[in-house]
Every structure is written in structure tokens, then in C-alpha cells.
Amino acid sequence: MIGLLIALVIGLWLLKVIFKIGFKIIGWVFMIAIGLFLFKIALWLGLIVVAIAGFALFGSATT
């Protein structure tokens, strides 16, 4: 009976450690994916701002 309790405690501790590491890895993957998505949005917004500035600059230079 005591051996069963010790095995149960060790098993639950290992399960906790495995889930903790698994959730950290899942969190890192989601963080990288969201970061890349936000980086892509920032690049597109930067390109839009540069395009608008270019149109404004060349539009005012010709008139």
C-alpha cells in the first residue's frame, strides 16, 4: 500500500513536470507565431506609410 502511494506521488510529480514543460513549449510556439504575425503587420503598415509619403512628396513636387 505504501509502495502504491509512493508510485502515485512520483507518477503525479512526473506528470506535472511533463505538462509544465509541454505548456512552456506550446507557449513559446504561440508567442513566436503571434510575434511573426505582428511583425508582418508592422512591415505592411510601414510599407503603406512609405507609399503614402512618396505619393505626397511627388504629388506636391509636380504641382
Side-chain angles (χ1 to χ4, degrees), residues 17-37:
V17 169
I18 290 169
F19 270 111
K20 198 174 191 180
I21 293 171
F23 283 133
K24 272 189 182 177
I25 292 172
I26 290 171
W28 287 339
V29 168
F30 276 111
M31 184 176 62
I32 290 170
I34 291 171
L36 288 174
F37 178 70

Side-chain angles (χ1 to χ4, degrees), residues 13-63:
W13 179 79
L14 283 174
L15 195 64
K16 183 185 84 165
V17 169
I18 290 169
F19 270 111
K20 198 174 191 180
I21 293 171
F23 283 133
K24 272 189 182 177
I25 292 172
I26 290 171
W28 287 339
V29 168
F30 276 111
M31 184 176 62
I32 290 170
I34 291 171
L36 288 174
F37 178 70
L38 291 175
F39 185 67
K40 186 172 73 170
I41 289 175
L43 285 177
W44 276 110
L45 286 175
L47 186 66
I48 291 168
V49 168
V50 168
I52 291 172
F55 281 130
L57 182 67
F58 289 120
S60 65
T62 56
T63 58

